[in-house]
């Protein structure tokens, strides 16, 4: 597995970002479906909104690519810093028994991975324009993290099952 500091061109960065956002959209749609089966339209609605953020982000990435062909990434080409795409999480973790709090925490872990991925590229890419772009993306992901933390804080603590996920960071 290669490292963020090896993402040296804008096209390569955008290809990673595009793949990441598309994965994220798919995952949020699944989470939303899971919440629909829980009769939790509120959290389902949040996830559909997050999926829309991902779609807009992917469109923005295409705009930034400005007509230039992005390299098509095969899974083994991804220069993720860990074994999976930053925003994909573990697919097996999404099931229809997931409570809203678990689903929100799952999404939170993914958003943190995503933020950290962009943050590492922002800190370590050898190319200034890539670092700047990655920094903007990292800030947007940080906003998603904050949003999810607020939602988690609003949930009924009695339904919070924390298992092996990071405990929610409760903010006032
Ligand atoms: Zn995000």
């Amino acid at each position: 597995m290669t490292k963020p500091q090896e993402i040296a061109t804008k096209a390569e960065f955008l290809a990673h970002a595009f793949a990441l956002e598309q994965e994220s959209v798919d995952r949020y749609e699944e989470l939303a479906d899971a919440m629909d089966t829980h009769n939790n339209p509120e959290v389902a609605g949040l996830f559909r909104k997050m999926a829309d953020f991902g779609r807009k982000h992917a469109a923005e990435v295409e705009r930034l690519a400005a007509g230039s062909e992005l390299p098509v990434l095969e899974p083994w080409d991804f220069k993720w810093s860990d074994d999976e795409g930053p925003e994909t999480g573990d697919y097996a973790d999404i099931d229809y028994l997931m409570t809203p709090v678990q689903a929100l925490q799952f999404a939170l872990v993914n958003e943190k991975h995503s933020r950290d991925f962009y943050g590492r590229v922002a800190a370590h890419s050898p190319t200034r324009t890539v670092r700047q772009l990655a920094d903007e993306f990292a800030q947007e992901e940080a906003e998603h993290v904050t949003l999810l933390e607020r939602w988690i804080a609003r949930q009924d603590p009695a339904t919070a099952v924390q298992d092996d996920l990071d405990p929610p960071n409760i903010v006032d």
Side-chain angles (χ1 to χ4, degrees):
M1 198 61 51
T2 43
K3 301 276 196 286
Q5 54 267 38
E6 290 158 14
I7 296 180
T9 69
K10 187 174 156 187
E12 201 180 3
F13 171 71
L14 292 175
H16 280 81
F18 190 73
L20 186 158
E21 297 300 334
Q22 282 191 317
E23 288 262 9
S24 168
V25 168
D26 290 348
R27 214 54 79 226
Y28 275 121
E29 293 293 357
E30 284 169 38
L31 285 168
D33 289 346
M35 290 303 98
D36 280 339
T37 68
H38 273 271
N39 295 316
N40 194 320
E42 209 192 359
V43 177
L46 171 70
F47 289 147
R48 299 217 192 274
K49 198 167 86 180
M50 300 296 278
D52 279 344
F53 289 159
R55 277 190 206 93
K56 286 195 186 112
H57 222 169
E60 167 79 357
V61 167
E62 283 184 310
R63 194 188 62 76
L64 286 166
S68 65
E69 195 99 1
L70 291 179
V72 175
L73 295 178
E74 301 294 345
W76 52 88
D77 291 332
F78 281 31
K79 294 179 180 177
W80 307 127
S81 42
D82 46 21
D83 288 342
E84 302 180 67
E87 207 153 356
T88 63
D90 185 351
Y91 184 78
D93 285 350
I94 298 180
D95 68 52
Y96 292 89
L97 299 175
M98 194 179 248
T99 68
V101 169
Q102 285 175 314
L104 287 162
Q105 286 175 335
F106 178 90
L108 177 63
V109 168
N110 285 337
E111 293 290 345
K112 283 181 174 173
H113 284 171
S114 189
R115 176 199 62 191
D116 294 347
F117 171 73
Y118 286 133
R120 277 192 287 268
V121 176
H124 300 298
S125 168
T127 311
R128 188 159 173 266
T129 50
V130 171
R131 290 198 302 273
Q132 285 173 339
L133 259 183
D135 187 55
E136 286 171 32
F137 282 44
Q139 285 176 37
E140 285 183 50
E141 298 305 336
E143 287 171 22
H144 296 170
V145 167
T146 304
L147 179 69
L148 287 169
E149 284 175 343
R150 283 207 204 102
W151 273 74
I152 289 166
R154 277 171 44 190
Q155 302 298 305
D156 178 0
T159 65
V161 179
Q162 287 175 14
D163 287 342
D164 55 342
L165 294 171
D166 292 337
N169 202 355
I170 307 292
V171 286
D172 293 329

